[in-house]
Amino acid sequence: MSGLKHPLISRAIFPVAGKGTRFLPATKATPKEMMPIVDKPLIQYAVEEAVGAGVSELIFVTSSTKRAIEDHFDSNYELESFLKKQNKHELLALVQNVLPQGASCTYVRQSESLGLGHAVLCARTQIANEPFALLLADDLIHHEAESCLQQMVSAYEATGCSIIAVQEISVSESEKYGMVAVEPQANSVFRITSIVEKPKPQDAPSNLAVVGRYILTPKVMAHLVRVQQDKRGEIQLTDAISSLLQDEPVYALKFKGVRYDCGNKLGYLQAIVSYALAHTEVGSEFENYLQGSGRVSKDFSRLQKK
Ligand code: UTP
């Protein structure tokens, strides 16, 4: 016996089978999750966050155009021996550590894009009836002391229940998010009383929006099986969580950190600028570039003329 009150969160699901239509044509043959923030793909940030929070089994729900993700986390013998021959040891270590030590990968196919809920259901066998983490890599969350998932693991350890990351938004944006109604609770943790997918602002139950980090108990799978496709033909995870609320408490955590919605162009660009400014190699030069007397607007007008 480990003496732990609740099972460890050792597995994480990464649904990466979406079509990424907001980034076409870039995502025609390349997964959205492989788009870089400066020099690291979105999916690698999510994997590092999961492993940093104690996860060791990484379950990717993929589709036919997502081979690049499998390749990214596999070893690349040819590249490694090339870097060795060139004595590029730092780069070699970088490439060899893309998959963090001790972590293993499983790939499950989602053969039809039937939505996030369906993608999660595809990994039902792999979670082995244990609580699991779920990370949407296009939500990039910058943190100071503890990552968003680490904060959620602490909340899970305190409650033994499902935890959903939420942030305050302007209610006018509610149609882009799952929105929750909550009862107040200790420390940024709230018991969810209802959850609804993309409500109109006048129907939003609060200003708390769900972002792409979850810890879910395995019971959610039994609810997902029963969820019907919505008008767009998708199986919504939100509907399964709403139904799970009838069986057991589910909590929302207002996490500390800055979330970038890299699933849309503006959020992606904002993330690149922030991460580039903080980048050890190019940060200060990039800052000089941005501050340089009207340089950005000059470059911009030159580009516009092309
Ligand atoms: P999104 O709602 O961002 O959809 O999915 P999308 O297809 O990736 O992007 P757009 O809206 O067409 O631009 C949220 C997450 O759920 C995954 C996506 O890969 C993303 O991580 N997803 C979505 C699946 O794995 N399967 C699906 O059928 C739908």
Side-chain angles (χ1 to χ4, degrees):
M1 286 292 285
S2 66
L4 286 168
K5 253 199 325 190
H6 308 297
L8 283 174
I9 306 296
S10 60
R11 296 180 182 83
I13 301 178
F14 302 87
V16 292
K19 295 273 184 259
T21 54
R22 285 169 288 171
F23 274 98
L24 282 170
T27 45
K28 185 178 171 211
T30 307
K32 170 173 76 173
E33 296 77 9
M34 283 302 292
M35 296 198 312
I37 301 298
V38 188
D39 50 10
K40 203 194 279 187
L42 283 166
I43 189 67
Q44 197 177 331
Y45 286 97
V47 161
E48 287 173 1
E49 183 178 335
V51 173
V55 166
S56 55
E57 288 185 45
L58 316 171
I59 303 155
F60 298 88
V61 182
T62 69
S63 64
S64 55
T65 55
K66 306 285 177 152
R67 270 288 303 276
I69 294 178
E70 254 178 276
D71 291 344
H72 186 66
F73 290 104
D74 199 359
S75 50
N76 181 335
Y77 179 75
E78 210 182 314
L79 175 63
E80 287 176 28
S81 48
F82 171 80
L83 293 173
K84 242 180 249 169
K85 262 194 222 139
Q86 303 265 317
N87 285 323
K88 297 195 167 161
H89 300 295
E90 260 181 52
L91 284 179
L92 179 64
L94 195 79
V95 164
Q96 286 175 330
N97 288 317
V98 164
L99 180 65
Q101 294 257 320
S104 65
C105 300
T106 306
Y107 298 90
V108 187
R109 279 288 186 112
Q110 183 187 24
S111 44
E112 256 185 293
S113 285
L114 293 178
L116 174 60
H118 181 255
V120 173
L121 196 55
C122 290
R124 183 164 38 155
T125 315
Q126 284 69 25
I127 61 127
N129 211 28
E130 295 277 341
F132 61 94
L134 168 65
L135 294 94
L136 310 190
D138 52 1
D139 269 340
L140 177 65
I141 303 181
H142 174 75
H143 63 275
E144 295 293 333
E146 279 197 312
S147 74
C148 178
L149 194 66
Q150 267 167 339
Q151 297 167 49
M152 295 171 74
V153 167
S154 303
Y156 162 76
E157 282 167 353
T159 59
C161 295
S162 296
I163 310 287
I164 299 177
V166 297
Q167 69 171 24
E168 287 179 358
I169 59 151
S170 153
V171 174
S172 60
E173 305 258 279
S174 66
E175 282 174 279
K176 295 183 190 160
Y177 295 91
M179 302 291 296
V180 296
V182 295
E183 286 171 357
Q185 206 83 16
N187 308 319
S188 320
V189 182
F190 306 87
R191 185 162 172 173
I192 298 178
T193 53
S194 71
I195 182 166
V196 51
E197 184 67 16
K198 302 188 173 79
K200 291 197 184 319
Q202 62 271 27
D203 300 327
S206 73
N207 65 345
L208 292 176
V210 174
V211 306
R213 299 288 183 280
Y214 307 72
I215 289 178
L216 295 168
T217 60
K219 221 174 193 179
V220 75
M221 294 294 184
H223 291 271
L224 266 174
V225 176
R226 296 201 292 266
V227 171
Q228 301 291 315
Q229 291 181 13
D230 65 9
K231 282 184 276 180
R232 294 163 59 206
E234 293 194 349
I235 293 175
Q236 296 293 350
L237 178 62
T238 305
D239 293 343
I241 295 172
S242 175
S243 155
L244 180 67
L245 284 173
Q246 316 301 314
D247 277 0
E248 57 184 41
V250 177
Y251 290 88
L253 172 76
K254 219 158 83 177
F255 61 93
K256 292 194 184 74
V258 182
R259 170 219 174 220
Y260 296 93
D261 179 2
C262 296
N264 77 62
K265 292 179 189 101
L266 185 62
Y268 179 66
L269 292 171
Q270 287 163 341
I272 290 183
V273 171
S274 299
Y275 279 67
L277 285 170
H279 196 278
T280 44
E281 194 185 316
V282 295
S284 55
E285 257 186 89
F286 185 55
E287 189 174 355
N288 290 342
Y289 168 72
L290 290 182
Q291 284 176 349
S293 56
R295 176 79 186 273
V296 177
S297 53
K298 261 190 243 155
D299 283 0
F300 177 64
S301 41
R302 206 180 54 224
L303 277 171
Q304 274 189 320
K305 279 187 202 129
K306 280 190 182 168

